[in-house]
Amino acid sequence: MQRRHMLSALAAVSFVPGISFAQEGKPLRVIIPFPPGGATDITARALQDALTRLLKQPVVLDNRGGAGGSIGMAEVARAPADGLTLGVATLSTHGVNPAVYSKLPYNPTKDFVGVTEIVKAPGVIVINPTTVPVKNFAELVSYLKANPGKVSYATPGNGTIGHMWGELFKSSTGTSMVHIPYRGAGPALNDVLAGQVAVYFDQVASSLPYVKAGKLKALAVSWPQRLDVLPDVPTYGELGYKQANEPSWFGLVAPAGTPAAAVERIQQAVAQALKEPAVRERLAGLGLYPSGTTPSDFTAQIAREIDKMKRVAAYAKVALD
């Protein structure tokens, strides 16, 4: 009996954050449900080295794009609940998808446990300046009204936050554009840069380098105030479109049933990584704002976002099979 109690106590200690942990040294797989090159991917890579060091185990990033993030998230949901698999959850995968798809290969609340929100991610509307003769947001609205259905806009895919932002833009401004969905932010961005598509609804992080290089022009951002990285770009709120002014976010989830101590350990490592000057500076340079919320707070946040996105989807009349 004493031996069983001793073994139980040792097992419990092994799961306490900060104490030698059973997963140390074993690879931690982080599934990114979008292709490389987008803001989701950029965020995960900004944390990879710090988490590898803090958790004392290799952090392996695995891009599994497609279906608005549903393919990657379904794989996370099916993974063993052993603390060795995480998924990068986004407003698309855990807010928009449940609101717009009648069927999903995962349940956004029952199949996962929230680990932490990593960052808030302001959105941006950009254009390829060679494709439409406009210089600012107001001119774009006027041009679209004069040319209904003749301009296309790209998004990372059906049911992504970019899609919702695009539909909300059209509803708010009374304009008409053709939606061109891609399999992730990277491919969408490439075609916008090539001039194949004129308008793009994106997170600031992935479009920012091209805006700074003059290859894309930013017309508005979704954030409470102007961004330090884009000080000359107005917010949607400034322009009179407050309903479009809320940012996106990226966080981590684990398969349902993952031990609470394992979840807590990872959350604490993320929170610690987000305090490191090098990580904060890298994220700030991308227009991303560190968070690091608790597992319970992030789980509750996901439930709120689903309710909110259902209202947005009804407003924008977006429904997908």
Side-chain angles (χ1 to χ4, degrees):
M1 182 68 74
Q2 287 183 332
R3 184 172 181 271
R4 282 202 300 269
H5 286 321
M6 184 177 293
L7 291 173
S8 297
L10 288 172
V13 167
S14 71
F15 279 91
V16 174
I19 296 178
S20 181
F21 191 76
Q23 265 85 341
E24 285 185 4
K26 297 180 180 178
L28 174 64
R29 181 188 182 203
V30 179
I31 295 175
I32 304 168
F34 297 99
T40 315
D41 180 72
I42 291 169
T43 299
R45 293 183 189 283
L47 286 174
Q48 185 178 17
D49 290 345
L51 289 182
T52 294
R53 171 170 39 82
L54 292 168
L55 292 170
K56 299 180 181 179
Q57 61 188 124
V59 175
V60 180
L61 304 183
D62 187 1
N63 294 87
R64 297 280 173 166
S70 294
I71 292 174
M73 275 300 133
E75 189 161 346
V76 178
R78 293 192 298 265
D82 56 6
L84 294 175
T85 301
L86 300 174
V88 182
T90 71
L91 183 53
S92 292
T93 64
H94 282 69
V96 178
N97 283 359
V100 302
Y101 282 101
S102 57
K103 295 181 180 179
L104 281 177
Y106 62 90
N107 185 302
T109 54
K110 294 181 180 179
D111 289 344
F112 307 95
V113 58
V115 178
T116 187
E117 181 187 70
I118 304 171
V119 293
K120 295 286 189 189
V124 64
I125 175 174
V126 296
I127 60 168
N128 183 319
T130 67
T131 59
V132 284
V134 303
K135 296 180 180 179
N136 55 47
F137 188 92
E139 288 185 8
L140 175 64
V141 172
S142 297
Y143 183 82
L144 293 175
K145 287 183 176 179
N147 297 274
K150 294 183 180 180
V151 175
S152 57
Y153 75 97
T155 72
N158 282 316
T160 61
I161 187 59
H163 183 193
M164 296 297 282
W165 279 335
E167 294 301 317
L168 187 56
F169 169 88
K170 292 194 297 181
S171 298
S172 301
T173 59
T175 56
S176 173
M177 287 190 291
V178 178
H179 178 213
I180 309 295
Y182 286 81
R183 288 177 60 86
L189 194 52
N190 287 338
D191 269 12
V192 176
L193 289 166
Q196 299 298 316
V197 187
V199 182
Y200 186 39
F201 294 88
D202 192 20
Q203 273 99 11
V204 168
S206 45
S207 286
L208 184 62
Y210 305 102
V211 173
K212 289 188 171 182
K215 296 180 180 180
L216 297 176
K217 184 172 182 59
L219 303 183
V221 296
S222 56
W223 195 246
Q225 60 274 333
R226 293 197 181 197
L227 301 175
D228 291 340
V229 292
L230 292 173
D232 298 326
V233 180
T235 68
Y236 280 100
E238 283 182 69
L239 296 167
Y241 300 95
K242 292 183 179 180
Q243 66 271 38
N245 212 44
E246 293 197 16
S248 182
W249 48 261
F250 307 129
L252 290 174
V253 293
T258 299
V263 171
E264 193 73 26
R265 172 177 177 267
I266 294 167
Q267 186 276 330
Q268 289 184 8
V270 172
Q272 187 173 341
L274 290 173
K275 293 178 182 177
E276 295 186 0
V279 174
R280 294 184 69 86
E281 288 173 12
R282 183 175 180 185
L283 293 173
L286 296 167
L288 296 169
Y289 293 79
S291 183
T293 55
T294 65
S296 59
D297 284 347
F298 188 48
T299 298
Q301 176 183 331
I302 288 171
R304 291 194 304 271
E305 294 288 6
I306 293 171
D307 289 340
K308 182 173 70 179
M309 283 297 113
K310 285 181 178 178
R311 294 193 297 271
V312 174
Y315 171 79
K317 299 179 180 178
V318 179
L320 303 170
D321 292 330

